[in-house]
């Protein structure tokens, strides 16, 4: 929590227009109509809220999936959930469903695409007794490749304006001016965190194995279905609002598990806060590294996340 507050304050102060921390209260209360007031409330604060929402959605989603599979490499991208959400949003952009049903089309299409992938992965592997098998992971990876290929196909046949929108969206960004989507992302991520806490003890029991969890009274099949739906909701919401954000659902929950332990009562909230801080910090770097230009935050998360994970592997701090 302290780290998240410090990173948020840094994000308020740092940018192409530098603002002193001591000046922020005066600007907020007495600087209405000034350029600094518009920058703080119109640009930087919405980005912080969106970064908190997206990071706080992807990281718990990764924690849920890693808890189900007991595998540190499982995340929404591994199982193809993000690929399905990406495909849904691309179809929405290409066929302009948003012009017919409004801004709700983005999170709706993302959730439907993610849910479709979850259904396919689960259905294609329902004949196997062990849902944690490598076959299910491989199925998710292959579906992710197929979804990525379909996205490239849609990009190839789209018009220039639609192509530009899809490319910018795929790279991932927190530059979302629509306050409705920001509010939906915030309340959706908080709702996902609250709902996930109803499954804390079930997830802790699953760490002992499916047979042991069943002996403790856990309906493992039903629990996994609900958790898959919750993970697809959080991922679909994140992808539809901010695009592709790499590694937030992989390294954050895994490192939080190393620091805070495997108890999901602590792990879920720590992953939420750490994911939010990680994404807000990456957004700060994306805004200032080539200022006044701005890099897509998805590029920064991919670079930083990959380097950190490789470093952890080299120091044998990650067990595969």
């Amino acid at each position: 929590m302290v780290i998240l507050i410090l990173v948020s304050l840094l994000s308020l102060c740092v940018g192409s227009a530098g603002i002193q921390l001591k000046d922020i209260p005066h600007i907020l209360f007495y600087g209405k109509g000034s350029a600094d007031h518009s920058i703080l409330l119109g640009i930087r604060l919405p980005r912080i809220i969106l970064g908190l929402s997206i990071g706080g959605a992807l990281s718990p989603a990764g924690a849920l999936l890693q808890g189900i599979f007991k595998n540190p490499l499982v995340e929404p991208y591994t199982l193809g959930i993000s690929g399905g959400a990406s495909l849904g949003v691309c179809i929405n952009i290409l066929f302009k469903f948003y012009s017919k049903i409004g801004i709700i089309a983005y999170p709706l299409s993302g959730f439907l695409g993610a849910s479709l992938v979850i259904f396919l992965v689960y259905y294609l592997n329902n004949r196997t007794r062990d849902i944690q098998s490598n076959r299910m992971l491989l199925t998710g990876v292959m579906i992710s490749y197929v979804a990525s290929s379909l996205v490239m196909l849609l990009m190839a046949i789209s018009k220039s304006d639609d192509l530009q929108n899809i490319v910018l969206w795929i790279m991932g960004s927190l530059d979302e001016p629509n306050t409705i989507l920001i509010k939906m992302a915030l309340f959706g991520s908080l709702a996902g965190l609250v709902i996930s806490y109803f499954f804390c003890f079930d997830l802790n029991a699953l760490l002992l194995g499916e047979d042991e969890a069943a002996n403790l009274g856990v309906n493992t099949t039903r629990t996994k279905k609900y958790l898959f739906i919750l993970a697809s909701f959080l991922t679909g919401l994140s992808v539809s609002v901010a695009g592709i954000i790499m590694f937030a659902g992989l390294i954050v929950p895994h490192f939080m598990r190393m620091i805070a332990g495997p108890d999901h009562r602590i792990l879920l909230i720590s992953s939420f806060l750490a994911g939010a801080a990680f994404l807000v910090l990456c957004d700060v770097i994306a805004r200032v590294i080539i200022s006044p230009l701005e890099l897509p935050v998805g590029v920064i998360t991919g670079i930083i996340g990959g380097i950190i994970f490789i470093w952890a592997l080299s120091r044998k701090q990650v067990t595969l």
Side-chain angles (χ1 to χ4, degrees), residues 7 31 53 68 105 119 178 217 228 237 309 319:
V7 170
S53 305
I68 294 173
F119 172 78
N178 193 292
F228 278 138
L237 180 66
F309 201 75
T319 301

Side-chain angles (χ1 to χ4, degrees), residues 46-205:
R47 293 180 76 112
I48 293 173
I49 296 174
L50 188 58
L52 185 151
S53 305
I54 303 303
L58 289 175
S59 296
L64 293 176
L65 294 173
Q66 290 174 9
I68 294 173
F69 285 88
K70 293 186 291 187
N71 188 327
L73 296 181
V74 177
E75 63 154 346
Y77 290 93
T78 308
L79 287 177
I81 302 176
S82 296
S86 303
L87 180 60
V89 175
C90 285
I91 292 174
N92 170 48
I93 294 175
L94 185 62
F95 293 97
K96 295 182 171 55
F97 292 136
Y98 58 87
S99 63
K100 300 177 182 178
I101 61 178
I103 200 67
I104 191 68
Y106 285 94
L108 181 61
S109 60
F111 175 70
L112 291 177
S115 300
L116 177 61
V117 169
I118 283 294
F119 172 78
L120 287 175
V121 172
Y122 197 88
Y123 174 77
L124 293 174
N125 292 273
N126 64 352
R127 297 178 181 178
T128 60
R129 185 177 181 181
D130 186 9
I131 198 173
Q132 302 178 31
S133 63
N134 290 331
R135 175 181 174 182
M136 191 170 188
L137 296 178
L138 290 174
T139 302
V141 171
M142 292 303 104
I143 291 179
S144 178
Y145 285 140
V146 172
S148 299
S149 299
L150 290 175
V151 169
M152 289 188 288
L153 174 62
L154 293 177
M155 292 172 61
I157 64 175
S158 61
K159 298 179 181 179
S160 57
D161 293 339
D162 295 332
L163 177 61
Q164 183 179 7
N165 292 333
I166 293 175
V167 170
L168 293 176
W169 170 81
I170 284 179
M171 290 189 292
S173 175
L174 299 183
D175 186 16
E176 176 55 60
N178 193 292
T179 57
I180 296 178
L181 287 180
I182 295 176
K183 292 178 180 178
M184 290 179 61
L186 177 61
F187 290 118
S189 62
L190 292 175
L193 178 65
V194 172
I195 295 173
S196 67
Y197 263 83
F198 287 97
F199 299 94
C200 281
F201 294 106
D202 294 343
L203 284 167
N204 288 342

